[in-house]
Amino acid sequence: MPNDFRGAAPAVALALSLLMWACALSAAPATPSAGETLYRRGLLPSGEPLRAVREGNATVQGGDAACVSCHRRSGLGSTEGRISIPPIAGPYLFVPRAKSLQELGLPFVDTARLEHEPYTDATLARAIREGIGANGRPLNYLMPRYQIDAAAMAELIAYLKAMRFGPVPGVTASALHFATIITPDADPVKRRGMLAVMNQYFVDKNNAVARTKAPTLYSSHRTMFRVERRWQLHVWELTGPPATWEAQLRKHLAAEPVFAVISGLGGSHWGPVQRFCEEQSLPCLFPNVEAPTGRDSDFYSVYFSRGVLLEAQLIARELADVATPADRVVQVFRAGDVGEQAARDLQAARAHSGQQIVNRVLPAHATPKDLGAALREVGAADALVLWLRPGDLSALEKVPPPTSRVWISGEMGGLEQAPLPASWRAAARMAYPVDLPGRRVVRVDYALSWFRIRKIPLLAQQVQADTYLACGLVSETLNHMVDAFVREYLIERVEMALDHRALTGYYPRLTLAPGQRFASKGGYIVRFSDPQGPRVAALGDWITP
């Protein structure tokens, strides 16, 4: 469906009035309406799956036929290559013809169509059932023809009409407010490194805004006007046990309304933060979390990687592929650390293998002697998986490897900098959920140069590089969104932006799509190349479990 924006530029006064207006879709009710269920899940009010016919008489039904698949949760459409899907939120369907969206008082959406006649309930029902537009012409061949009775159609149209706009928390005429969330169990060194990057990024962003005239309007289309707003960072530092975090977050959000959460830092627990963001419909974009509890079926929380939970899948695949299976798989981890969650995931992945899984749990404050005791009964025929931090890996110096089949966590151990003793290196394989050092050097050096120029100390390289990448992605996405400040649309535009992103930091490729909330989906199994030093070699290709 080609775009067609040929209208004359609106009056500056009208454009300026848009500076005072921010918009977001109204919050969905706690119990989904029949129209929302039909739109998002492809289920009719009767509970039967929605059915439709595509070109060539191909039939689709249920979730595959749901409107959300193309028009997205925001109702603001999408773009895939040369294919553009227009918005179907009520304000874009039922408005009269106009030369520009600004004339209509609507935010700019690059897939919007201005050439159609305003829809009525009757012509919209015809478009949905027969693929005939408001002007009587056939719609694009991609539009399915839906089998919907009058009652279900009324529910769907009511839902589309309800997609109206109201004030957006965290958006003013002059500023965009963002939060970053830090849990009390987060590493203090990583915390300092992350905040150093975020604070400087926000300073740079606001300095660029200050150098422009106020208010400044930029236009790459005659109808594309954008207001440069200042970025305001709110640091939400949580305290106490995880059970209290959601209440703390509600207080933070009430006191400091924000448009989205950028980056952030977790320790052993992130579940309460994840739940809060999903319940509040608050985008949480790329937090630094080693064991994210999110699922691909979630919407508002987006991560670069599954971290140690991805590593568990990589190791489980290795264990399944060996010619001679191990008698047992012995996992060693500290109580309360993220290795405990990874060990649980690996055990679940091997549940139907018939292989015995033995978990050796070290106390949170275990000594090297405790670590030695945990390894004492591991035999040569066993496989050993160590979910351990650098301090514990260093302590293995005095313990000979009890088996030649050892796996360690790259995420927890420090990747190629893991201080694994020379006596263990020949036996050990590492789950490595990022790109190889030589292949990522150019992508990471861009961020490192930015740090050097701004004299930001390098305290936790991956966390800082990921934080810089997260800020950059949000900035680029907002440039494309212009003034359409809709939280759901932000996430949908992030998905689209990742496909075109060349500088992806530690990751060889980042992709997101509906039903995907982890942008990097694979990793390597590597071995150390030398008895000392950081050189590692992949034992195969990139693996996507």
Side-chain angles (χ1 to χ4, degrees):
M1 299 181 186
N3 293 320
D4 187 12
F5 288 99
R6 303 186 182 92
V12 172
L14 180 58
L16 287 174
S17 70
L18 293 176
L19 301 181
M20 304 302 295
W21 182 69
C23 60
L25 294 179
S26 302
T31 301
S33 66
E36 179 181 341
T37 301
L38 195 157
Y39 182 90
R40 292 191 183 181
R41 299 176 59 197
L43 293 178
L44 296 167
S46 65
E48 293 294 313
L50 175 66
R51 290 181 173 83
V53 178
R54 292 189 181 278
E55 189 180 48
N57 291 322
T59 60
V60 289
Q61 64 178 8
D64 293 335
C67 311
V68 73
S69 299
C70 294
H71 296 281
R72 308 305 312 274
R73 182 180 292 225
S74 67
L76 294 180
S78 63
T79 302
E80 184 71 33
R82 295 183 178 182
I83 300 170
S84 63
I85 309 297
I88 57 170
Y92 293 86
L93 289 177
F94 299 100
V95 294
R97 280 178 177 268
K99 294 181 179 180
S100 72
L101 292 170
Q102 284 80 1
E103 237 180 70
L104 298 170
L106 292 174
F108 180 84
V109 176
D110 54 11
T111 59
R113 312 289 159 73
L114 302 179
E115 73 277 10
H116 68 73
E117 296 293 332
Y119 277 96
T120 64
D121 287 9
T123 57
L124 183 56
R126 183 183 65 179
I128 294 170
R129 290 193 182 111
E130 303 174 28
I132 303 298
N135 58 7
R137 297 174 184 171
L139 297 174
N140 189 280
Y141 73 94
L142 292 172
M143 175 68 182
R145 281 53 170 164
Y146 289 91
Q147 301 169 17
I148 304 180
D149 63 26
M153 183 66 74
E155 293 283 358
L156 177 59
I157 292 175
Y159 178 70
L160 297 178
K161 287 181 175 179
M163 285 184 169
R164 298 206 172 268
F165 301 93
V168 184
V171 178
T172 71
S174 59
L176 292 175
H177 293 260
F178 299 99
T180 195
I181 300 171
I182 303 173
T183 64
D185 56 349
D187 185 306
V189 175
K190 293 179 179 179
R191 173 192 173 279
R192 291 198 301 274
M194 182 196 76
L195 287 179
V197 172
M198 293 200 76
N199 286 327
Q200 186 61 54
Y201 196 98
F202 276 58
V203 167
D204 282 12
K205 188 76 178 174
N206 292 333
N207 284 342
V209 172
R211 288 194 294 269
T212 64
K213 297 177 182 179
T216 299
L217 300 180
Y218 296 87
S219 177
S220 57
H221 295 279
R222 283 188 292 176
T223 56
M224 182 185 284
F225 280 76
R226 178 176 73 254
V227 178
E228 290 286 355
R229 290 168 169 82
R230 293 180 59 258
W231 283 25
Q232 178 67 49
L233 178 63
H234 303 272
V235 180
W236 294 350
E237 302 227 34
L238 305 179
T239 60
T244 67
W245 295 353
E246 290 180 76
Q248 292 179 50
L249 288 168
R250 282 192 289 272
K251 290 181 180 178
H252 278 298
L253 186 59
E256 301 171 332
V258 297
F259 181 49
V261 175
I262 305 177
S263 193
L265 185 64
S268 301
H269 305 281
W270 190 254
V273 180
Q274 164 88 19
R275 287 193 300 272
F276 172 80
C277 291
E278 293 297 319
E279 290 169 0
Q280 297 294 324
S281 302
L282 178 64
C284 183
L285 304 174
F286 308 111
N288 298 288
V289 184
E290 293 175 325
T293 55
R295 301 164 298 175
D296 281 322
S297 58
D298 294 328
F299 184 81
Y300 293 95
S301 298
V302 181
Y303 302 88
F304 283 128
S305 168
R306 290 184 186 271
V308 296
L309 306 184
L310 170 61
E311 292 183 343
Q313 298 300 314
L314 294 172
I315 296 172
R317 177 167 169 162
E318 280 263 293
L319 291 169
D321 288 346
V322 295
T324 306
D327 288 352
R328 303 181 303 168
V329 177
V330 180
Q331 302 191 94
V332 180
F333 52 88
R334 284 184 180 262
D337 204 349
V338 294
E340 188 169 0
Q341 300 173 54
R344 187 164 55 243
D345 274 25
L346 190 149
Q347 185 166 358
R350 299 293 293 157
H352 301 294
S353 68
Q355 198 167 41
Q356 183 182 3
I357 308 292
V358 178
N359 294 326
R360 301 281 171 80
V361 186
L362 300 172
H365 302 289
T367 64
K369 184 177 179 181
D370 296 321
L371 177 57
L375 300 175
R376 193 167 295 141
E377 295 180 5
V378 178
D382 294 331
L384 177 62
V385 182
L386 302 175
W387 302 105
L388 299 175
R389 301 284 181 184
D392 286 326
L393 295 180
S394 298
L396 294 172
E397 178 107 43
K398 299 180 180 179
V399 183
T403 175
S404 61
R405 291 185 279 192
V406 179
W407 282 267
I408 68 173
S409 164
E411 184 88 28
M412 296 180 68
L415 298 177
E416 66 274 6
Q417 301 295 335
L420 193 66
S423 59
W424 283 75
R425 288 192 169 209
R429 301 180 175 207
M430 180 189 295
Y432 202 83
V434 295
D435 206 359
L436 298 172
R439 296 179 183 176
R440 69 176 188 249
V441 62
V442 173
R443 299 191 305 269
V444 174
D445 271 357
Y446 190 89
L448 297 182
S449 297
W450 190 85
F451 300 158
R452 284 192 296 270
I453 292 169
R454 288 154 181 79
K455 296 181 172 55
I456 295 174
L458 197 60
L459 304 174
Q461 180 169 300
Q462 185 181 353
V463 165
Q464 290 176 279
D466 282 359
T467 300
Y468 177 76
L469 178 57
C471 291
L473 282 167
V474 173
S475 179
E476 292 172 15
T477 300
L478 288 170
N479 285 341
H480 288 288
M481 289 173 60
V482 193
D483 280 337
F485 294 112
V486 177
R487 284 171 167 170
E488 292 78 8
Y489 192 48
L490 171 64
I491 293 173
E492 293 159 6
R493 294 298 311 215
V494 165
E495 292 176 7
M496 288 187 269
L498 278 177
D499 278 342
H500 308 289
R501 179 78 182 191
L503 294 175
T504 52
Y506 268 71
Y507 310 96
R509 189 183 178 201
L510 296 172
T511 59
L512 284 173
Q516 296 178 358
R517 285 299 167 259
F518 301 90
S520 181
K521 299 167 180 64
Y524 293 99
I525 298 293
V526 304
R527 298 187 85 155
F528 283 101
S529 302
D530 307 304
Q532 294 181 337
R535 289 182 59 219
V536 294
L539 295 176
D541 295 330
W542 178 262
I543 302 166
T544 304

